[in-house]
Structures are given as C-alpha cells and as structure tokens.
Amino acid sequence: MSETIKPIVIAITGLNAIDSPGPGVAVARAIRDGMDCPVRIIGLAYENLEPGIYMDGICDKTYQISYPAAGADVLFNILKGIHEKENIDVIIPNFDAELYNFISIEPRLKQLGINCFLPSFEMFDARDKLNLYAFGQKNNFLVPKDKAIYSVNDLYLIGEEFGYPIVVKGKYYEAEVCYTLEQAQKAFYKISAKWGLPIIVQQFINGTEVNIAALGDGNGNATSIIPMKKLYITDKGKAWAGITLQDDSLLAIATEFVKATKWRGGFELEIMQTTNNELYIMEINPRFPAWIYLSAGAGQNQPASLVKMALGEIVEPFVTYNVGKIFIRYAWDMIVDVEKFQQFTAYGNLENNPK
C-alpha cells in the first residue's frame, strides 16, 4: 500500500474577488497549478460575502479573522487557534493594510511552525506612499513629487505648485486624477472617508502605465519579474485585461529595486513610461497584485515559488517568460446554498470540497 503524502497547508487572505479584487483567489489558483505535491489551502476572510470563500477549487476551508484595526495580538491568537486545527505550514497575506500586523507577529508564527516570506519593517516603510519620493531620491529612481495632507484647504497651494492635473490618493488604496480644484476636493472627501488621513497628492506624470509583478529573495536578488501592460482598465483604475511585455528597461528597474531594498517576498511596481522612455515609479505595492495568475500563465509562477522559498527551498531565478500572454478578467454569478452562508456567518468557518 502506498503511503499517503501529507499536503502542505497554506493559508491566504484577499478572497474578495469583486470589481476591485484582492489577490487571494489568483494566488490560490497559481499555487494549485504550480506545486508538485498535494496542498490544502486555508482561506482567511474578513467578511462573510467574500466570493473566494464559496468558490469551488479555491479554498479547502475558510476561517473568519479579525480586521487589521484589532491589532497584531488579536490576529496572532486567532491564527494560533486555526493552526491548532489545521497545522498551517505557510501564510501569505495579500492586503497592504494587514501587512504591518503580519510582519509584527512573523517571529511568533515561526515559533509555532508557521512560515511567512515577508519584507522587514524597514523595507515596508521605505516604499510607503508617504516615503516614496524620499526613497526615489536616495536610490536614484524617478518618482513624482508628492505631499501628504490632512486638510482639504491644503489643496489650494498644492494645485498651484504642481499644476493640474494632480493625483489624489488614499494611504492604502484608490487614486483619482483630478483636473480642477473642485474635483480634487471631492476626491479628498471621498477617499479620506473610506481610508482615513493623510491623503497623498501626487504630481501627474503623462505616459503609458505599466505594472511589474516581482519576487525578491531577501538577499538582493530578483527570483522572478513579469512586466504587464493594461489593455482594459475599470473606472477604479484596476486592470481587467493585460498583456506580458518584453522590455529590458522594465526588468532592469525591478532588478534595481530588489537590489536596493533586499526585498523579501512578492511586490508590484506601478510604472509610468513617458514618451521619452523615462520610467517613473508611481507606487510600490508590498504584496502580489490581483493579476498575479498571469505570472503562472507566463511561465514564472510567483505564488508557488514564494511557498517553496518560505519553506526554505532554493528557487533559482527565472530567466525567461512568455511574452504576449494575455489575461482577461471576467465576472459570473455563483449560486450558493444559504446554508453555506449561514454556516460561515454563525460559526466563522466553512469547509469546501475543491474540485
């Protein structure tokens, strides 16, 4: 009789596959495609209507966890309880707002036998929107000028200094290009109501937006780099379709970023490429993007590689990828029995039978 191989248990967040999707569903799909051994995927959800909870073939079981505002200690105790039931091997957080707590408790998780592959606080803070311009100045990257503001009245002077249009950004998510003071004021109130203060106002750079998903090994080396150009953008600025590109300058800027920061884990660079081929770093997201499944389609499966690296395996840097691979996101109506919704709402967990 052959011996049953124990699956690797991987917990992931970011299951909100909505019009502004989290990366969790894409991360789960990539892991299932890219691992050469059995896996059991545990979803970690914040709300009871996150689609990834109920989708077949994504999570084997999902648990509800605390919002980031509850703090690191509350999160650790919840994860410890889940670990006692599931024996988690690796956790991959996929939201900016939760990373501070996960980085805080990473040493304690390691003591339990749970592995993460996360940036340090120093790396995390260096790429923060509030520090991005200073980071660019220090490391010779082109970064638009920006200012953090706490009052809508500050928009008057910034508009005069930067000139319109300007970009109004939330400290975690959302950005709007504003062509008038009135538009900027409206964006300030809208975004601050959702994400709080400060609001970041950034100089507008005209050009073509390009995104880069990459994986750093923590020693200054890039294990994987996949550049993508958006082909279709939603009204929230999210990529709904995109294509892999071949551009040595994009590979070079991601390589230099990893070298400068010794980044550990996945990240996304949002780049604006001007008509003069200048590359401005508009934003650095400290986790996988929602379109990360394209990395698997292009031949460099970043989520599966991260799992292996978190478990201590040596993953050699990828040297080629498939150019011209397109992802096209779509929406469909999933039919779910109310009993599943009630189970998750009442008990904070749900067992699935993935295909």
Side-chain angles (χ1 to χ4, degrees):
M1 181 181 291
S2 60
E3 184 179 347
T4 302
I5 301 174
K6 178 186 176 297
I8 296 173
V9 182
I10 304 155
I12 60 172
T13 66
L15 302 178
N16 62 330
I18 55 175
D19 59 341
S20 181
V25 168
V27 168
R29 291 181 67 200
I31 289 171
R32 291 197 184 278
D33 285 0
M35 297 297 291
D36 51 7
C37 60
V39 298
R40 176 172 168 81
I41 295 183
I42 303 300
L44 303 174
Y46 292 102
E47 298 181 355
N48 56 12
L49 282 175
E50 294 182 23
I53 300 169
Y54 307 100
M55 295 172 68
D56 288 335
I58 299 302
C59 298
D60 296 279
K61 189 167 186 176
T62 304
Y63 293 86
Q64 192 160 23
I65 61 173
S66 59
Y67 285 100
D73 290 337
V74 173
L75 175 64
F76 175 76
N77 288 329
I78 291 173
L79 294 177
K80 183 179 178 183
I82 296 172
H83 178 62
E84 289 169 355
K85 300 181 182 76
E86 299 292 345
N87 196 21
I88 298 169
D89 295 298
V90 177
I91 291 182
I92 306 176
N94 291 300
F95 285 134
D96 298 28
E98 68 188 2
L99 276 175
Y100 189 92
N101 286 341
F102 274 97
I103 295 170
S104 297
I105 65 174
E106 184 175 5
R108 284 190 279 171
L109 293 175
K110 183 69 175 177
Q111 290 178 348
L112 296 178
I114 302 174
N115 301 283
C116 300
F117 204 73
L118 299 173
S120 66
F121 279 126
E122 183 181 7
M123 301 174 199
F124 183 70
D125 289 339
R127 43 64 38 201
D128 188 272
K129 294 178 186 179
L130 298 173
N131 304 322
L132 184 58
Y133 184 73
F135 171 80
Q137 293 288 99
K138 178 181 177 181
N139 294 284
N140 296 317
F141 293 115
L142 291 175
V143 176
K145 294 179 181 178
D146 62 25
K147 286 192 176 180
I149 62 173
Y150 292 83
S151 169
V152 71
N153 296 326
D154 295 330
L155 288 168
Y156 291 97
L157 294 178
I158 292 177
E160 292 181 1
E161 180 182 347
F162 288 176
Y164 285 95
I166 56 176
V167 184
V168 178
K169 292 186 170 187
K171 61 180 180 179
Y172 293 122
Y173 304 104
E174 292 197 37
E176 291 192 19
V177 179
C178 302
Y179 293 85
T180 66
L181 175 60
E182 289 73 21
Q183 288 181 355
Q185 291 171 328
K186 184 178 179 181
F188 178 97
Y189 287 122
K190 174 186 171 184
I191 296 174
S192 63
K194 191 170 184 180
W195 300 111
L197 296 173
I199 290 294
I200 294 91
V201 182
Q202 192 176 64
Q203 177 189 12
F204 178 80
I205 302 295
N206 191 30
T208 301
E209 184 177 348
V210 180
N211 296 67
I212 304 171
L215 178 61
D217 69 355
N219 296 312
N221 306 302
T223 301
S224 169
I225 304 171
I226 298 290
M228 178 275 293
K229 178 182 177 182
K230 295 178 181 179
L231 296 177
Y232 188 89
I233 302 173
T234 69
D235 58 354
K236 293 187 177 181
K238 301 299 179 181
W240 213 250
I243 184 170
T244 55
L245 302 173
Q246 175 60 54
D247 187 326
D248 289 343
S249 65
L250 296 173
L251 301 179
I253 195 171
T255 300
E256 287 302 312
F257 172 79
V258 174
K259 184 179 178 181
T261 59
K262 292 184 169 54
W263 192 267
R264 186 172 184 262
F267 67 93
E268 179 190 28
L269 296 180
E270 296 185 10
I271 303 291
M272 193 65 72
Q273 190 170 25
T274 70
T275 54
N276 297 324
N277 287 323
E278 296 172 309
L279 300 179
Y280 279 84
I281 297 179
M282 307 300 291
E283 202 163 303
I284 302 167
N285 298 314
R287 37 72 190 168
F288 289 132
W291 56 272
I292 195 60
Y293 191 64
L294 182 60
S295 74
Q300 296 189 12
N301 193 319
Q302 292 182 13
S305 297
L306 184 145
V307 170
K308 295 173 184 178
M309 294 163 77
L311 292 172
E313 295 184 32
I314 302 298
V315 178
E316 294 297 327
F318 292 95
V319 293
T320 61
Y321 61 93
N322 297 316
V323 178
K325 286 289 184 180
I326 296 175
F327 85 89
I328 304 172
R329 189 169 290 144
Y330 62 97
W332 64 355
D333 295 328
M334 178 171 52
I335 307 303
V336 177
D337 292 331
V338 70
E339 289 82 3
K340 288 187 174 184
F341 174 76
Q342 291 171 336
Q343 161 77 26
F344 189 79
T345 302
Y347 299 104
N349 65 79
L350 178 68
E351 184 90 34
N352 278 332
N353 295 309
K355 294 178 181 178

